[in-house]
Amino acid sequence: MALKLIVFLPLLAALIAGLGGRWIGKTAAKSVTTGALFIGAILSWPIFFQYIRSSADTAVVPVFTWIHSGTLTVDWALRIDSLTAVMLVVVTTVSSLVHLYSWGYMEEDPGQPRFFAYLSLFSFAMMMLVTANSLVQMFFGWEGVGLASYLLIGFWYHKPSANAAALKAFVVNRIGDFGFSLGIFGTFLVFGTVSIPAILAAAPGMAGSTIGFAGMHVQTMTLLCLLLFVGAMGKSAQLPLHTWLPDAMEGPTPVSALIHAATMVTAGVFMVCRLSPMFETSPTAMHVVTWVGAITCFFAATVGCAQNDIKRVIAYSTCSQLGYMFFAAGVGAYGAAMFHLFTHAFFKALLFLGAGSVIHAMHHEQDMRFYGALRKEIPVTYWVMVIGTLAITGVGIDVGPGFGFAGFWSKDAIIQSAWVSGSVAGTFAFWIGVIVALMTSFYSWRLVFMTFFGPPRWAASEHIQHALHGEHDSPDEEHGDSAHDSHRVATGSGGYHPHESPLTILVPIVLLALGALLAGQLFHGIFVGPNAAPSYWRGIIAFSRKIGEAVESSALWVKLSPTIAMLIGLWIAWNNYIRDPAAPGRFVAMFPAVYKFVANKWYFDELYHFLFVRPALWLGRLFWHGGDEGTIDRFGPHGAAYAVGIGNRVTFRLQSGYLYSYALVMLLGLIGAASWAIWWAK
């Protein structure tokens, strides 16, 4: 019963707020949706502790028979095991805090009932995904979060940029979902079922078999796993299907936290871990997952180093951290991958919502070049952002019982697992992971130093100047992020004075800061290492445990590499943004091509525009003007109208009004009829 409430209460709340929000009012709509998620979070944590502390068996809660057609039977059922328990606490906890945060952040937006309905719908779809007992049910949740993300990213539909970002996310994810659907079709063709337990049980027996595909004979399990992984690449923003993720920043900041921290983008990692027995049958598929994750991890980190928009820095950080999770899964360290997913949910949601608090204080200004000296103006936000930065950069010490922030335990476990895997791909991922740890530390502390230290640079911001004069930034932003910031006025000194956020914003980020501080410390023994809780490994291949044992005995330099890289990144950021603020400008002047390449995101958007967008637009115009207008309309409705017009002009001449003209026509008609009858009689 508890599981059904966790899953279906957000759906009920979304229906009430979405369909009845106009009648019940915004306060009731917010209360219903927020209450449903908090109830789900309260019910999820006991289930989580039950599965990590005991040997609880997998449970399946039937709902109803969904599809029965020939040999295809799909039962709608809710599966609960250790993996599901982890995802439930992640989704419900972060979603409930995002709901509460949105009370303050969206306070003056007139579309609040619709916004909260979308948030709850998103949470329901994600929970349908993580509790799925069949691939079809998983696909239902998979598409549900895609729909909800489209609605949330484009929530401010009056802004063309928001509409474009929502459409881009939808289209790019459809590419990945097409591969995922082909993988599901192929899996049903091979195994004759879409039941996840049945597929995982039969997967080892298919190792080494071949199947025909595109006129070739290929390894069956390699093909199926790669097709399924295409879906993961789209949903979790891995190269080359990553371009939608940064543009998703056009949605309200709570949406960024929900999509990027704990829900949609982690679906691909969850799917690979859930189907790990399938992936284990194909070394090729495992290597592909490792290489894609490592390259994405490096690419996104380089771009994050050169971004000035505070939300885009964190967005590319998400893309990079997902790369860590994927290459962990690729080397078989599923426990480390899920552990980083778990800790990442807390510190990344904290960073996004903390960035939203900064934006709230700075009248919708997102460019860090116009920040500075905010640590005394918004001290609570400053300290929670510092905690989030300590967590993502992996600050800690593993001596004796050890102490560390969340990322120290999970990210370091991934990097060490890559090394002890012993494969070429794993070794490559290890060095990439160390380098990216340095870059993560650099861009994270760069964000802190540019935002909270140095002289105030607010006067140069157009947003702030508009706020001083009581103006909105543009008509399109009337109900945007700036709507609830317009009350911030000039101080006695004639300048803009940022204020700390209200409690509805501060309480969620303080709670998330506790998670970023303690999640790794309290739970690392459950996910990684030789003493990990046995119940956690139910449904996950035992190879992951062997990696955990090898990590414990790895060389000291391997264990210290991420920490050394983190300290180097911190020193570089401090040297360039505190000690010598002119140094970044000199670097750009010395290496303008490198900076431009990285700042422009390796020109992926421009490349895709040239390869896909321009040909698609040309083809669309061809079919529009040449096909639709030039052929169909010309010979269809326009051609028929033209023929009718010619006929009208001819028949008009016959309508003279003279009796002898009509008599002549009648006579000709009679002669024609008689001639036809005589000819037919012969």
Side-chain angles (χ1 to χ4, degrees):
M1 183 61 183
L3 185 59
K4 289 184 178 179
L5 288 175
I6 294 170
V7 173
F8 290 108
L9 273 180
L11 175 62
L12 179 62
L15 293 174
I16 293 173
L19 300 179
R22 182 175 299 179
W23 291 276
I24 65 176
K26 65 180 184 180
T27 302
K30 293 189 294 185
S31 300
V32 168
T33 52
T34 306
L37 265 299
F38 269 98
I39 291 173
I42 293 170
L43 295 174
S44 295
W45 278 98
I47 295 175
F48 172 71
F49 286 115
Q50 175 188 355
Y51 275 87
I52 66 173
R53 288 181 174 176
S54 67
S55 55
D57 292 324
T58 298
V60 177
V61 180
V63 180
F64 57 82
T65 298
W66 187 15
I67 300 173
H68 184 74
S69 176
T71 59
L72 174 63
T73 300
V74 181
D75 293 327
W76 197 304
L78 308 179
R79 176 187 178 91
I80 179 70
D81 59 11
S82 52
L83 277 178
T84 305
V86 172
M87 294 302 296
L88 284 180
V89 296
V90 166
V91 174
T92 57
T93 302
V94 174
S95 294
S96 59
L97 293 177
V98 167
H99 274 72
L100 179 60
Y101 178 95
S102 300
W103 277 65
Y105 201 83
M106 304 293 290
E107 181 181 1
E108 296 185 11
D109 195 289
Q112 289 178 73
R114 178 169 60 92
F115 180 76
F116 279 83
Y118 290 168
L119 287 181
S120 292
L121 180 63
F122 191 106
S123 302
F124 162 72
M126 190 65 195
M127 284 186 280
M128 285 305 308
L129 191 158
V130 301
T131 59
N133 197 44
S134 71
L135 290 179
V136 174
Q137 186 177 333
M138 182 182 287
F139 190 73
F140 172 85
W142 197 273
E143 294 303 301
V145 293
L147 169 64
S149 66
Y150 170 79
L151 296 173
L152 286 168
I153 295 169
F155 176 74
W156 288 317
Y157 54 84
H158 50 273
K159 296 173 61 177
S161 58
N163 286 327
L167 185 61
K168 185 176 183 179
F170 194 82
V171 171
V172 173
N173 272 277
R174 295 294 70 72
I175 298 171
D177 294 350
F178 178 67
F180 188 44
S181 61
L182 288 179
I184 295 175
F185 296 153
T187 302
F188 176 71
L189 177 66
V190 171
F191 294 98
T193 180
V194 291
S195 170
I196 292 176
I199 293 168
L200 300 186
M206 295 302 299
S209 63
T210 60
I211 190 174
F213 180 75
M216 302 176 292
H217 269 80
V218 296
Q219 293 285 331
T220 303
M221 297 309 298
T222 298
L223 174 65
L224 296 182
C225 292
L226 290 181
L227 287 174
L228 293 170
F229 182 60
V230 169
M233 291 165 62
K235 198 66 70 182
S236 297
Q238 298 296 286
L239 282 171
L241 301 179
H242 66 284
T243 54
W244 68 270
L245 191 66
D247 290 353
M249 297 299 98
E250 287 293 336
T253 296
V255 173
S256 303
L258 192 62
I259 292 177
H260 291 71
T263 52
M264 178 172 166
V265 295
T266 61
V269 179
F270 167 79
M271 185 266 287
V272 172
C273 291
R274 168 66 80 203
L275 303 180
S276 56
M278 289 183 66
F279 282 82
E280 285 290 336
T281 62
S282 172
T284 301
M286 296 288 284
H287 291 329
V288 169
V289 174
T290 305
W291 283 96
V292 169
I295 294 172
T296 303
C297 185
F298 176 78
F299 154 76
T302 61
V303 177
C305 292
Q307 299 299 303
N308 294 311
D309 185 308
I310 187 171
K311 287 173 67 176
R312 285 186 177 269
V313 173
I314 305 173
Y316 278 105
S317 171
T318 297
C319 192
S320 181
Q321 298 300 310
L322 288 165
Y324 272 116
M325 299 176 206
F326 274 112
F327 79 65
V331 299
Y334 305 108
M338 289 300 298
F339 188 28
H340 199 52
L341 185 156
F342 179 76
T343 60
H344 177 265
F346 292 102
F347 62 71
K348 187 53 60 70
L350 168 62
L351 290 172
F352 265 117
L353 297 184
S357 182
V358 174
I359 296 169
H360 183 278
M362 295 300 292
H363 190 73
H364 193 48
E365 179 59 73
Q366 296 182 195
D367 194 326
M368 297 184 297
R369 291 172 294 185
F370 302 126
Y371 289 171
L374 288 177
R375 67 185 184 280
K376 295 181 180 179
E377 309 293 341
I378 47 175
V380 177
T381 301
Y382 163 67
W383 282 111
V384 297
M385 288 288 283
V386 168
I387 291 174
T389 302
L390 293 170
I392 192 174
T393 57
V395 174
I397 181 170
D398 191 10
V399 176
F403 174 79
F405 291 82
F408 170 75
W409 297 106
S410 58
K411 186 167 68 177
D412 286 23
I414 288 175
I415 295 173
Q416 294 168 35
S417 298
W419 175 259
V420 302
S421 67
S423 64
V424 174
T427 303
F428 173 78
F430 167 78
W431 289 112
I432 287 293
V434 172
I435 295 170
V436 171
L438 186 154
M439 290 192 287
T440 301
S441 181
F442 169 74
Y443 66 64
S444 298
W445 287 111
R446 172 179 177 263
L447 184 152
V448 171
F449 294 150
M450 290 183 70
T451 302
F452 298 104
F453 291 83
R457 302 179 294 275
W458 315 330
S461 169
E462 293 183 7
H463 299 280
I464 303 303
Q465 294 303 317
H466 291 165
L468 290 173
H469 295 88
E471 302 171 358
H472 289 295
D473 298 312
S474 70
D476 283 340
E477 291 177 2
E478 182 179 356
H479 303 308
D481 282 13
S482 59
H484 48 270
D485 294 331
S486 58
H487 66 278
R488 284 167 165 70
V489 295
T491 63
S493 60
Y496 185 81
H497 184 70
H499 291 276
E500 190 61 273
S501 300
L503 285 177
T504 49
I505 288 179
L506 294 181
V507 169
I509 60 177
V510 169
L511 293 175
L512 288 169
L514 292 176
L517 178 64
L518 299 174
Q521 187 72 31
L522 296 178
F523 298 110
H524 70 275
I526 295 167
F527 290 90
V528 295
N531 299 318
S535 63
Y536 177 74
W537 303 107
R538 291 179 179 271
I540 300 182
I541 210 73
F543 180 54
S544 191
R545 179 190 286 270
K546 295 179 181 178
I547 285 186
E549 295 171 351
V551 165
E552 290 297 312
S553 59
S554 59
L556 181 62
W557 72 269
V558 174
K559 294 182 178 181
L560 293 179
S561 294
T563 299
I564 295 172
M566 176 270 296
L567 293 174
I568 294 173
L570 170 60
W571 180 83
I572 295 173
W574 175 83
N575 184 70
N576 284 272
Y577 294 95
I578 298 296
R579 191 184 72 83
D580 184 10
R586 294 196 300 271
F587 177 85
V588 172
M590 290 175 60
F591 305 100
V594 174
Y595 175 78
K596 192 174 182 181
F597 178 74
V598 174
N600 285 281
K601 303 159 287 185
W602 292 25
Y603 293 101
F604 268 101
D605 283 324
E606 290 78 3
L607 178 64
Y608 287 176
H609 183 80
F610 176 77
L611 292 178
F612 303 114
V613 177
R614 287 178 59 183
L617 291 174
W618 177 85
L619 195 62
R621 285 191 292 267
L622 175 65
F623 284 121
W624 173 22
H625 295 299
D628 190 20
E629 294 181 344
T631 303
I632 297 174
D633 287 350
R634 180 180 179 185
F635 296 104
H638 291 173
Y642 178 77
V644 169
I646 295 296
N648 285 341
R649 287 193 292 272
V650 172
T651 55
F652 173 76
R653 297 177 182 275
L654 299 177
Q655 303 296 321
S656 63
Y658 294 111
L659 182 60
Y660 58 80
S661 297
Y662 299 148
L664 177 61
V665 171
M666 293 174 63
L667 179 60
L668 293 175
L670 288 173
I671 293 172
S675 300
W676 176 81
I678 293 170
W679 178 82
W680 183 259
K682 292 181 178 180

